[in-house]
């Protein structure tokens, strides 16, 4: 795997008084001007602190939401600036545009160690289009470019790719570096047994990742809608359960590939079923049934206790673990129980545990167990693409081999 150029690779004095454009992922939920989840801000703090302490004048840039290429107040980053200031215990100036006159004015006022947050990159259509002109306007603001937005690394957007191509020696921030190290460890020489726990809603969209992992793992434990589709592919009647009718052939391919590779497949042996999730009686109507006997008119919404016990044993014996996808409809307790028990099992192993996926990471954070995992990835789609063996555009531009000044790269990736 090719190495990324990191903050350590920047010359010691390269940052002193330099204008540094730092791409972060502050795509956070905001309601009534209040940031509801500050995880993404906290994740960026180590890089921001290091750049400040090395004397940079910081221009922090991010996208938020999907504002369709024009200013839209509901997607403004203004509320984020206040929270960032609080977390840093330092002033953070907010700049109402990420390029042009306003940005240039703001830069003039910056001293070494100062931070300003630029308005949403996606208020310009050139961002998602990776428009060369827009990338050039961003690039002209700074002398150094650092990308810490791992969750956006699978997008060839202007602030991710175009800018990195226009500023010499673009570098990965600490979060980016940590993500690539942890996920890269899974694709490198993971300690065995290597077990993947795969759940969530859909098999489509995750099939590439699952197939790539099958080449490396010793066992796969399935739950959630994903398991429903696999059970249906085996010919079981899933009644009113969520599953992907049009993915049954793909599901069969997954099972066949696993068998051909000698990967042990575990499917739920029991399931928690209920009638209507929207119904207030959904939890009181819930019963546990054999996975092969889902009663007509009911839907499987979680893995049952026997399944949890079997999965726990496999997890306990593993040395490397990757988990993506909740085991059930965790948003509606008590159907979070299966996911909760799996999270607990992960914290109990001595193996290296990696959790990925937007909802899975949220579930683990909610249960207060995130600190006890080896790594909780902030990259939803980016992490899945990485583990599918795809080359991420945002990483490619940070690889040391990309510039002649970099150190020699090895073959893969
Ligand atoms: P991630 O974001 O971690 O990759 P996904 O988006 O694939 O995870 O899946 C999360 C969603 O899967 C949750 O909204 C959850 O309710 C849903 N889900 C899990 N199990 C089931 C199930 N048995 N039936 C319907 N939906 C499910
Ligand atoms: Mg999701």
């Amino acid at each position: 795997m090719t190495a990324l150029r990191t903050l350590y690779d920047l010359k010691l004095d390269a940052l002193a008084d330099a204008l540094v454009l730092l791409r972060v992922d502050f795509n956070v939920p905001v309601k009534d001007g209040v940031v509801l989840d500050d995880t993404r801000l906290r994740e960026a703090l180590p890089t921001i602190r290091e750049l400040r302490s090395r004397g940079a004048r910081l221009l922090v840039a991010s996208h938020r939401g999907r504002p369709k290429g024009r200013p839209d107040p509901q997607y403004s980053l203004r509320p984020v600036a206040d929270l960032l200031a609080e977390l840093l215990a330092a002033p953070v100036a907010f700049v109402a545009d990420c390029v042009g006159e306003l940005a240039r004015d703001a830069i003039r006022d910056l001293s070494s160690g100062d931070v300003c947050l630029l308005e949403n990159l996606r208020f310009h259509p050139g961002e998602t289009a990776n428009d060369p002109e827009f990338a050039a306007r961003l690039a002209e603001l700074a002398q150094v470019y650092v990308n810490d937005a791992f969750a956006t690394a699978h997008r060839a957007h202007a602030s991710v790719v175009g800018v990195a191509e226009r500023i010499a020696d673009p570098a990965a921030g600490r979060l980016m570096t940590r993500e690539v190290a942890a996920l890269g460890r899974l694709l490198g020489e993971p300690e065995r047994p290597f077990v993947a726990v795969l759940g969530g809603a859909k098999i489509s969209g995750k099939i590439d990742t699952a197939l790539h992992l099958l080449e490396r793992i010793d066992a796969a434990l399935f739950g959630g809608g994903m398991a429903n589709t696999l059970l249906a592919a085996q010919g079981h009647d899933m009644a009113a359960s969520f599953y992907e009718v049009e993915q049954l052939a793909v599901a069969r391919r997954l099972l066949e590939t696993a068998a051909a590779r000698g990967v042990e497949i575990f499917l739920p042996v029991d399931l928690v079923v209920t009638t209507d999730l929207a119904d207030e009686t959904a939890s009181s109507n819930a019963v546990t049934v054999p996975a092969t006997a889902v009663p007509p008119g009911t839907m499987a919404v979680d893995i049952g206790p026997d399944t949890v016990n079997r999965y726990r044993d496999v997890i306990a014996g593993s040395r490397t673990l990757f988990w993506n996808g909740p085991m059930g409809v965790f948003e509606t307790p008590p159907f979070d129980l299966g996911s909760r028990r799996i999270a607990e099992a992960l914290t109990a192993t001595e193996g290296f545990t990696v959790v990925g996926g937007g909802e899975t990471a949220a579930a683990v954070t909610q249960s207060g167990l995130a600190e006890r995992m080896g790594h909780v990835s902030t990259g939803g789609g980016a992490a899945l693409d990485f583990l599918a063996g795809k080359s991420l555009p945002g990483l490619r531009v940070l690889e040391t081999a990309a510039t002649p000044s970099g150190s020699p790269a090895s073959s893969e990736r």
Side-chain angles (χ1 to χ4, degrees), residues 157-236:
H157 292 171
S159 66
V160 176
V161 171
V163 172
E165 290 167 342
R166 284 170 174 81
I167 297 183
D169 299 335
R174 285 172 170 259
L175 173 61
M176 182 78 93
T177 308
R178 194 155 53 86
E179 288 274 8
V180 171
L183 296 170
R185 199 166 147 184
L186 299 181
L187 298 185
E189 302 270 323
E191 256 191 90
R192 303 193 167 281
F194 178 9
V195 175
V197 184
L198 301 172
K202 296 180 173 180
I203 219 167
S204 55
K206 293 191 177 173
I207 185 66
D208 292 346
T209 309
L211 288 174
H212 198 66
L213 286 174
L214 282 183
E215 295 172 25
R216 296 167 165 76
I217 57 178
D218 300 292
L221 314 174
F222 289 100
M226 180 102 133
N228 293 347
T229 304
L230 291 166
L231 287 164
Q234 287 186 332
H236 300 297

Side-chain angles (χ1 to χ4, degrees), residues 61-110:
S62 177
H63 73 285
R64 192 168 86 73
R66 297 175 184 267
K68 303 206 173 81
R70 54 184 139 75
D72 182 340
Q74 66 169 312
Y75 296 116
S76 175
L77 281 165
R78 193 180 287 273
V80 176
D82 299 335
L83 182 57
L84 182 61
E86 211 178 295
L87 293 172
L88 283 172
V92 173
F94 178 73
V95 186
D97 196 358
C98 62
V99 288
E101 204 60 47
L102 286 175
R104 282 194 299 272
D105 284 350
I107 287 170
R108 270 195 289 275
D109 297 336
L110 287 180

Side-chain angles (χ1 to χ4, degrees), residues 201 206 324 326 357-360:
K206 293 191 177 173
N324 167 259
E359 257 111 349
T360 319

